[in-house]
Amino acid sequence: MKTRENYPHIPEIHVESSINLLLRRAKENRTTPLEEYVTTGGYSALEKALKRLTPEDIVVLVEESTLRGRGGAGFPTGRKWRFALSNPPPRYLICNADESEPGTFKDRIIIERDPHLLLEGMAISAYALGVNEAYIYIRGEYPAGYQILEDAIRDAEEAGYLGENILGTDFSLKIYVYRGAGAYICGEETALIESIEGKRGHPRLRPPYPANEGLFGRPTVVNNVETLSNIPIIVTYESYFMNIGPSGFYGPKLFPISGKVEKPGVYESTMDITLRELIEMAGGMKDGKKFKAVFSGALGVYSKRDLDTPMDYSPKGFGGTGTTIVLDEDDCIIDSLIVIANFFHHESCGKCTPCRVGTYEQHNLLKKFQEGTATEQDLNLLKHLAKNIPIGSICGLGFSAPQAIADAIKKYPEEFEAHLRGECPAGVCF
Amino acid sequence: MEKTNKFKYLTDELIQKINYYLNKFPKKEQVIIPSLHEILYVYRDIPFEAIEELSEYLDIPLARIEDVVTFYDMFRHRKNAKNHIRICRNLPCHLGKYRNLLKQIEKLTGAEVDGHSADGLWYIELVECIGSCAIAPAFLINDDLYDGSKIKSEEDLKKILEKYISENSGEL
Ligand SMILES: Cc1cc2nc3c(=O)[nH]c(=O)nc-3n(C[C@H](O)[C@H](O)[C@H](O)COP(=O)(O)O)c2cc1C
Ligand code: SF4
Ligand code: FES
């Protein structure tokens, strides 16, 4: 078996948990080997699933768990599975390990430190979904994760947890690991499917949805790494799962926190935790500076008023991937928006004109605010783009490209006004 | 290793890897991206001749492969240097002042963003989030990931870079 020394570096990322579910074996910076995974209770949920539960039992457990997708959109996992199950086999399961949302580094922790948790979750899910071939799509910039997964799959096959006739039953599962190559858009599920088919990662028009026509035209379920890693926990705990966390949003959640906190890292908690508490968990504001804002990846901006928002999937909640990028008084909202706008401009696949051109224009307009040449008209143009880019776009990238800017215009009007006057409150611009 | 196949860029070792993917994946087209990764690993970029050979070997039209190469950021035809430095410029690393790190790296390597150093050892690129925001500003040298916040002095950086110089001495 390969040891850690053979892999490229896996980063020293700080990890903390108040509930020890997803991160139980991931506190230390090393890959949990199969034997240790098994002696600490691993693969017992798979054994239980295959020998004592029907696929339908598992789907019902997942529905009752209220589990929602951890990849961003927060779609109820059980419902997604039902859609796919209403279509005839062969079906595919794809684990989305593209993890490219700015500020997001939670899935890599599971992959690098506890890969068998993900594999066990995939095996149980595949059994429930009547799937015999599954893929893990991992971003190209995670070379260690790729090796770790390939090795873990081989070990699990040798021990009878994957491959032919798993644990002596007639259920078989082949898991392929497929590497991306540096395109954020390939995290979008239909672009990801195109990429696995060996093409450019251009999103497909919907309908048809992947649950009806996905990989190679077959019904396909795409789930995030963290989503699938919840499955062994749900199968183990059954109704006790509903004691973990607040009503309707049960189960553990990972929060990748970066920016101006004392201890950036990945934190595991239940979803009744508020943004304020989460920042405290991460050691509070760095160097005792004042809180300014939180960017939830590239998708939204939260201000002081949102500090008591629970980190759940309710309409008022934080939702999404749990990504928390913290800004302090020395950081400028406009300057940060420029980084995000540039990102969307760079990552737009170019298929839809409003997204391709609109993301470019957003970046240009924000630059004018930074350089002191913006006028009231430019602010109106930004608002106009925020309304119209999503309308003319076919995928989630276009839908979310103006979101952070629109949020910031609403929550930080004073920042825009100051820049119009040629002043930067944080002293970053001009 | 002595070469037995007829190709110039697709060495026996590469052919072996490509065959592994051909056996592994159900569809031939699925082998394109994994093969390009292997080519990238050997050459640090995608030589045009290599994809001509890949097209012939897989019996997939060249335009089809070129289509893939031009879409994905990690694949490029440009001649990369021996060592590829990728510095993250997304928000957490921006807040972590990646620009200071970039300046230091540019100074020590003699390369600039999107350019090579004169000695052919270094190529610098700014990239989007590489999923390492807790160690901002994060950067990669080839496949190795580094925590920019741990680099307190020019000496620290020199120590890291030197590793790659000695590993590659005299070659390009
Ligand atoms: C531009 C874009 C990028 C995305 N990137 C990711 C990603 O890196 N990882 C992920 O799990 N989901 C990503 N998603 C969401 C996926 O499309 C999909 O909703 C998700 O993988 C479904 O899994 P879940 O239901 O378990 O969350 C992205 C969506 C868009 C529009
Ligand atoms: S919305 Fe943007 S990223 Fe999505 S398909 Fe259209 S152009 Fe591509
Ligand atoms: S923003 Fe630099 S690694 Fe995520």
Side-chain angles (χ1 to χ4, degrees), chain A residues 151-201:
Chain A
D151 290 348
I153 289 169
R154 198 202 46 227
D155 293 345
E157 282 177 351
E158 280 170 13
Y161 297 113
L162 289 178
E164 299 291 320
N165 299 105
I166 295 174
L167 295 169
T169 66
D170 56 9
F171 173 63
S172 301
L173 175 65
K174 178 86 204 136
I175 298 182
Y176 304 101
V177 191
Y178 196 92
R179 269 177 292 177
Y184 167 65
I185 192 59
C186 287
E188 195 282 332
E189 57 188 14
T190 61
L192 185 154
I193 288 170
E194 289 281 303
S195 183
I196 293 184
E197 290 181 0
K199 300 183 218 148
R200 298 170 81 106

Side-chain angles (χ1 to χ4, degrees), chain A residues 242-314:
Chain A
M242 271 76 95
N243 292 332
I244 308 166
S247 172
F249 305 104
Y250 302 119
K253 177 80 196 82
L254 299 183
F255 299 101
I257 310 182
S258 60
K260 303 297 183 63
V261 290
E262 280 293 339
K263 290 185 293 172
V266 175
Y267 292 81
E268 179 182 33
S269 167
T270 49
M271 283 179 267
D272 42 7
I273 193 166
T274 62
L275 187 50
R276 185 191 307 279
E277 289 163 342
L278 197 62
I279 292 171
E280 275 159 22
M281 200 172 165
M285 296 299 295
K286 190 167 186 230
D287 302 329
K289 294 267 181 180
K290 277 205 203 95
F291 172 91
K292 173 115 169 213
V294 160
F295 278 58
S296 177
L299 303 178
V301 181
Y302 293 80
S303 73
K304 227 186 202 155
R305 279 205 217 130
D306 304 311
L307 277 171
D308 295 306
T309 307
M311 306 296 281
D312 64 21
Y313 289 92
S314 61

Side-chain angles (χ1 to χ4, degrees), chain A residues 55-56 58-59 77-78 80-85 87 89-94 122-132 171 219-223 228:
Chain A
E56 174 64 20
I58 295 165
V59 178
T77 306
K80 186 185 276 190
W81 286 16
R82 280 281 177 221
F83 288 143
L85 281 165
N87 294 301
R91 306 182 191 100
Y92 288 105
L93 171 67
I94 299 174
M122 288 185 72
I124 298 169
S125 306
Y127 170 67
L129 290 162
V131 161
N132 300 109
F171 173 63
T220 303
V221 167
V222 183
N223 274 136
L228 291 165

Side-chain angles (χ1 to χ4, degrees), chain A residues 109-420:
Chain A
I109 297 294
I110 295 177
I111 292 168
E112 290 170 345
R113 302 186 185 189
D114 200 8
H116 289 285
L117 179 66
L118 171 61
L119 297 181
E120 184 176 10
M122 288 185 72
I124 298 169
S125 306
Y127 170 67
L129 290 162
V131 161
N132 300 109
E133 279 183 74
Y135 284 83
I136 302 173
Y137 186 94
I138 184 166
R139 65 178 304 190
E141 293 86 347
Y142 286 175
Y146 171 70
Q147 271 311 315
I148 288 168
L149 285 170
E150 287 265 292
D151 290 348
I153 289 169
R154 198 202 46 227
D155 293 345
E157 282 177 351
E158 280 170 13
Y161 297 113
L162 289 178
E164 299 291 320
N165 299 105
I166 295 174
L167 295 169
T169 66
D170 56 9
F171 173 63
S172 301
L173 175 65
K174 178 86 204 136
I175 298 182
Y176 304 101
V177 191
Y178 196 92
R179 269 177 292 177
Y184 167 65
I185 192 59
C186 287
E188 195 282 332
E189 57 188 14
T190 61
L192 185 154
I193 288 170
E194 289 281 303
S195 183
I196 293 184
E197 290 181 0
K199 300 183 218 148
R200 298 170 81 106
H202 280 170
R204 294 177 180 172
L205 263 177
R206 272 157 294 198
Y209 289 89
N212 299 319
E213 266 177 57
L215 186 61
F216 305 126
R218 302 304 315 168
T220 303
V221 167
V222 183
N223 274 136
N224 172 261
V225 172
E226 186 188 342
T227 312
L228 291 165
S229 300
N230 265 281
I231 304 297
I233 300 169
I234 290 170
V235 167
T236 302
Y237 283 69
E238 295 193 20
S239 62
Y240 187 77
F241 193 81
M242 271 76 95
N243 292 332
I244 308 166
S247 172
F249 305 104
Y250 302 119
K253 177 80 196 82
L254 299 183
F255 299 101
I257 310 182
S258 60
K260 303 297 183 63
V261 290
E262 280 293 339
K263 290 185 293 172
V266 175
Y267 292 81
E268 179 182 33
S269 167
T270 49
M271 283 179 267
D272 42 7
I273 193 166
T274 62
L275 187 50
R276 185 191 307 279
E277 289 163 342
L278 197 62
I279 292 171
E280 275 159 22
M281 200 172 165
M285 296 299 295
K286 190 167 186 230
D287 302 329
K289 294 267 181 180
K290 277 205 203 95
F291 172 91
K292 173 115 169 213
V294 160
F295 278 58
S296 177
L299 303 178
V301 181
Y302 293 80
S303 73
K304 227 186 202 155
R305 279 205 217 130
D306 304 311
L307 277 171
D308 295 306
T309 307
M311 306 296 281
D312 64 21
Y313 289 92
S314 61
K316 274 194 174 159
F318 197 84
T321 50
T323 301
T324 305
I325 307 171
V326 182
L327 275 62
D328 71 20
E329 56 192 307
D330 296 338
D331 302 318
C332 169
I333 299 284
I334 305 282
D335 181 59
S336 302
L337 288 173
I338 289 174
V339 176
I340 298 299
N342 189 38
F343 165 74
F344 279 119
H345 162 53
H346 182 237
E347 298 296 339
S348 164
C349 82
K351 188 167 167 168
C352 322
T353 311
C355 171
R356 183 181 65 241
V357 180
T359 50
Y360 174 73
E361 283 305 327
Q362 282 188 335
H363 183 237
N364 281 346
L365 288 167
L366 286 168
K367 274 278 201 201
K368 286 172 83 176
F369 280 86
Q370 182 157 59
E371 285 154 5
T373 56
T375 62
E376 200 67 44
Q377 172 102 28
D378 294 318
L379 186 58
N380 288 332
L381 266 173
L382 274 178
K383 289 181 189 162
H384 175 80
L385 286 173
K387 235 187 257 151
N388 289 295
I389 294 175
I391 296 174
S393 297
I394 68 158
C395 92
L397 190 147
F399 303 154
S400 51
Q403 190 55 49
I405 300 172
D407 275 6
I409 292 176
K410 238 181 270 154
K411 295 179 181 180
Y412 294 90
E414 70 283 1
E415 290 267 331
F416 285 85
E417 283 155 21
H419 282 77
L420 282 176

